[in-house]
Structures are given as C-alpha cells and as structure tokens.
C-alpha cells in the first residue's frame, strides 16, 4: 500500500503524528472566533467591576488584582497536566461560570 502523505515527519515513517490538537478545517476558525467572543464578554463584564474595586480599594491594589486575574490564563498548561484535556475544558467552563456568578453576586 502506498502512503499518500508526503509531509516530512521527524522520526521517520514509523512515528505516529496523532490527531492535531486544533483542527485544521473550518473548526479552527470557529475556535478562534469563539475564543475572541469569550474574551470580549469577560472583559465587558469585568471592567465595571474593576472600576468599582479601584474606587473602593485604591489604584495600586486594583492594579495588582487586575494583573493577577489577567495572568491567570497562563496557568492553563499546569491545569492541563493535572486534569488532562477534558478536565481543562470542564475547568475553563466552570471557571467562566464561577466568574459570571461572582460578578452578579457583587453589589
């Protein structure tokens, strides 16, 4: 049987590439669009809350809190190692739900 795959793979033909993490079809564009939509929704909901927090606690404390919240996304690789890819999805959706509920609970 002839292999029609002409891409060069490190490790020779015996190395299995496995499925891609991000699909290469229309799903990839959809994933990017959904990620941007979620980011804009989080920012839209967070800016008024951060403004009230800055007025109540001071600019330095609010700046530190905003920086911590903004950089929390860099913990995703650690969460993926601990929970696996499906656990990361559940944690992401659960985190968005928790942030949304916490935002609504604040006065």
């Amino acid at each position: 049987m002839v292999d029609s795959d002409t891409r060069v793979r490190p490790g020779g033909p015996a190395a299995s590439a496995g499925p891609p993490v991000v699909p290469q079809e229309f799903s990839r564009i959809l994933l990017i669009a959904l990620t941007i939509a979620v980011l804009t929704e989080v920012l839209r909901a967070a800016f008024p809350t951060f403004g009230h927090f800055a007025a109540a606690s001071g600019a330095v404390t609010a700046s530190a809190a905003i920086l911590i919240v903004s950089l929390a996304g860099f913990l995703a690789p650690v969460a993926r190692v601990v929970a696996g890819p499906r656990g990361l999805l559940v944690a992401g959706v659960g985190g968005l739900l928790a942030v949304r509920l916490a935002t609504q609970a604040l006065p």
Side-chain angles (χ1 to χ4, degrees):
M1 182 172 247
V2 177
D3 184 15
S4 62
D5 189 3
T6 59
R7 292 179 292 171
V8 176
R9 294 183 193 153
S16 173
V21 174
V22 177
Q24 301 299 318
E25 308 92 36
F26 177 71
S27 301
R28 183 176 190 174
I29 295 172
L30 184 63
L31 179 64
I32 293 169
L34 286 174
T35 302
I36 291 171
V38 168
L39 175 64
T40 56
E41 173 63 21
V42 168
L43 290 175
R44 184 201 63 81
F47 276 142
T49 305
F50 286 147
H52 295 301
F53 184 65
S57 65
V60 175
T61 306
S63 298
I66 292 169
L67 186 64
I68 290 170
V69 168
S70 299
L71 295 177
F74 288 111
L75 294 175
V78 176
R80 182 173 181 178
V81 169
V82 172
R86 290 191 179 159
L88 182 61
L89 178 65
V90 170
V93 171
L96 285 173
L97 180 63
V99 167
R100 186 66 179 181
L101 291 175
T103 303
Q104 289 177 349
L106 293 174

